[in-house]
Amino acid sequence: MKTYRIALVPGDGIGKEVIPAGQRILDALTSAELSLHFRFEHFDWGGDYYRRHGVMMPSEGLDALRKHDAILFGSAGDPNIPDHITLWGLRLKICQGMDQYANIRPTRILPGIDTPLKHCKPEDLNWMIVRENTEGEYSGVGGRTHQGHPLEVATDLSVMTRAGVERILRFAFRLAQARPRKLLTVITKSNAQRHAMVMWDEIAAQVAAEFPDVQWDKELVDAATARMVNRPASLDTIVATNLHADILSDLAAALAGSLGIAPTANLNPERVYPSMFEPIHGSAFDIMGKGLANPIGTFWSIVLMLEHLGETSAAHRLMLAIEHVTANPRLHTRDLGGNATTADVTEAVCAQLAAKAQDIHP
Ligand code: NAD
Ligand code: MN
């Protein structure tokens, strides 16, 4: 029997609802897949921790996480604490501290889910967005001076290193190569940003030479938004900077039906550190504490976690259970136009996992 140590970091808002739901799913998988076992450790970091201790997570927190095989994260964001404190004090601290430089965001239209795109068939939209996750526009380099005076100056410096760009592009080419279409679009803004983005284009051409079987093209980020809406089938794997891919992936999530469904993985591909899996949505202050949060984004993130751990059959089984549930409109939460609660959806996915287990272990 294989035991995985999983760190659970619910964070704030609906993170505290969807992560316990995710734990239920992992427990149900343990009952279904007899060879699989998870040992959980809970971390109560986030806004409440900040009110007690003045920090979002303790300084020795990264060491505590390192002992785990994977991290399942909810969201960081509290109505009474500035967003830059909650984000930098928790999520970015983990991503950067664990060198999780490759953020991947699969986007598909799941069974039963409507896309706002009028002429799009579900099979036309099947993307894998790769986001550089440790530098660029979110490097944290910059500052403010003359604060509060008319002379005030503020900078956020976008830092691109050749090593950082090369490793994310190589990761993206490799991922594109592993997908059936072997098609990669490299997104930049190298017309206006004439230094770092031009370096991206140059490095992309160099790395492309290592992957002769991958077909690739370039697109400027503004044009890319229109292409996503007008010609979704022309895209497959997409790679972009930290900021650009952040924005494009929220658009992608909306085109695929709802922010509540979309998953993401923050990967340290060399596996020196644990990787972190999370729904892409935030704390959703407007619905928190009401049992209305869609847990599918968290469940799909668990699929990514299982794939990363090499548990492909469990990953596949969970994805099928998720799709079985999304196909039923009575099990849609409010973001999808339905009336189901977080608990309804969670129980339905667990029941489906148990039913499938009966088929396999009668
Ligand atoms: P949000 O994702 O929290 O919410 C946007 C909208 O989508 C809201 O109307 C919300 O109700 C809805 N929504 C989101 N997830 C849903 C779900 N699972 N089920 C149903 N509806 C869902 O984004 P926001 O409002 O811009 O941000 C709120 C807070 O979350 C801010 O503090 C922000 O900084 C933080 N945030 C954190 C992360 C993260 O930790 N990864 C990501 C995004 C935003
Ligand atoms: Mn985002």
Side-chain angles (χ1 to χ4, degrees):
M1 160 145 30
K2 181 88 183 132
T3 298
Y4 294 103
R5 292 152 305 170
I6 308 295
L8 299 175
V9 187
D12 303 314
I14 62 169
K16 290 181 182 160
E17 301 169 54
V18 293
I19 295 306
Q23 189 181 354
R24 285 269 300 120
I25 295 299
L26 287 165
D27 283 335
L29 263 176
T30 298
S31 312
E33 297 259 343
L34 301 171
S35 60
L36 204 55
H37 187 69
F38 301 98
R39 194 164 345 120
F40 299 107
E41 191 174 345
H42 298 259
F43 295 91
D44 62 345
W45 303 335
D48 292 336
Y49 190 94
Y50 182 86
R51 275 180 280 276
R52 288 197 304 275
H53 303 280
V55 286
M56 291 289 287
M57 64 182 275
S59 52
E60 65 279 11
L62 290 178
D63 289 332
L65 291 179
R66 273 201 83 162
K67 300 186 187 84
H68 294 81
D69 295 305
I71 304 161
L72 188 61
F73 185 83
S75 78
D78 183 290
N80 300 312
I81 306 172
D83 282 344
H84 67 273
I85 291 179
T86 54
L87 185 68
W88 278 96
L90 189 55
R91 187 176 169 273
L92 291 184
K93 190 166 173 164
I94 298 172
C95 288
Q96 298 197 341
M98 300 281 168
D99 202 23
Q100 293 162 348
Y101 65 84
N103 178 258
I104 61 165
R105 301 178 169 211
T107 309
R108 278 193 295 125
I109 301 172
L110 298 187
I113 306 293
D114 281 333
T115 169
L117 292 177
K118 247 190 281 174
H119 305 291
C120 179
K121 299 187 290 297
E123 59 272 24
D124 288 344
L125 200 164
N126 186 344
W127 301 330
M128 181 64 85
I129 302 180
V130 178
R131 167 181 174 186
E132 200 297 317
N133 210 28
T134 50
E135 56 175 39
E137 306 88 344
Y138 301 168
S139 67
V141 178
R144 291 173 69 173
T145 189
H146 305 302
Q147 255 192 64
H149 297 285
L151 282 174
E152 183 162 0
V153 178
T155 57
D156 275 297
L157 192 64
S158 172
V159 174
M160 307 275 183
T161 63
R162 175 170 280 273
V165 175
E166 213 173 290
R167 68 181 181 174
I168 195 64
L169 285 169
R170 193 166 282 121
F171 178 89
F173 270 97
R174 203 170 284 137
L175 191 57
Q177 192 177 43
R179 285 167 60 86
R181 293 178 68 192
K182 300 188 195 302
L183 178 65
L184 176 69
T185 300
V186 176
I187 292 176
T188 64
K189 186 66 187 170
S190 50
N191 56 345
Q193 295 177 298
R194 58 187 181 160
H195 307 295
M197 293 279 71
V198 174
M199 183 177 78
W200 265 71
D201 284 347
E202 288 170 11
I203 296 175
Q206 287 161 11
V207 173
E210 299 167 23
F211 298 88
D213 55 336
V214 175
Q215 186 194 337
W216 73 289
D217 63 0
K218 291 190 289 184
E219 193 74 79
L220 297 175
V221 65
D222 42 353
T225 59
R227 181 165 162 193
M228 285 166 71
V229 171
N230 294 328
R231 291 185 296 129
S234 73
L235 295 160
D236 188 76
T237 307
I238 297 165
V239 61
T241 70
N242 212 332
L243 171 66
H244 292 165
D246 186 6
I247 298 166
L248 294 179
S249 57
D250 271 29
L251 171 61
L255 296 178
S258 168
L259 211 53
I261 291 176
T264 185
N266 303 282
L267 301 175
N268 174 253
E270 290 74 25
R271 296 170 191 260
V272 175
Y273 299 97
S275 295
M276 179 160 78
F277 303 83
E278 52 167 345
I280 84 163
H281 63 72
S283 305
F285 306 144
D286 49 337
I287 57 165
M288 64 183 182
K290 297 181 179 159
L292 297 174
N294 188 343
I296 297 289
T298 298
F299 300 167
W300 195 349
S301 302
I302 292 173
V303 172
L304 299 180
M305 181 175 96
L306 293 165
E307 283 170 353
H308 180 75
L309 294 172
E311 296 293 341
T312 42
S313 107
H316 185 63
R317 173 187 290 214
L318 175 54
M319 198 67 223
L320 288 179
I322 291 170
E323 293 183 356
H324 183 85
V325 168
T326 60
N328 180 352
R330 280 189 320 237
L331 292 170
H332 285 183
T333 42
R334 203 170 68 176
D335 54 312
L336 298 172
N339 294 314
T341 63
T342 311
D344 295 336
V345 179
T346 307
E347 293 322 308
V349 175
C350 287
Q352 186 60 21
L353 288 171
K356 281 285 168 227
Q358 287 269 311
D359 293 351
I360 294 164
H361 312 286

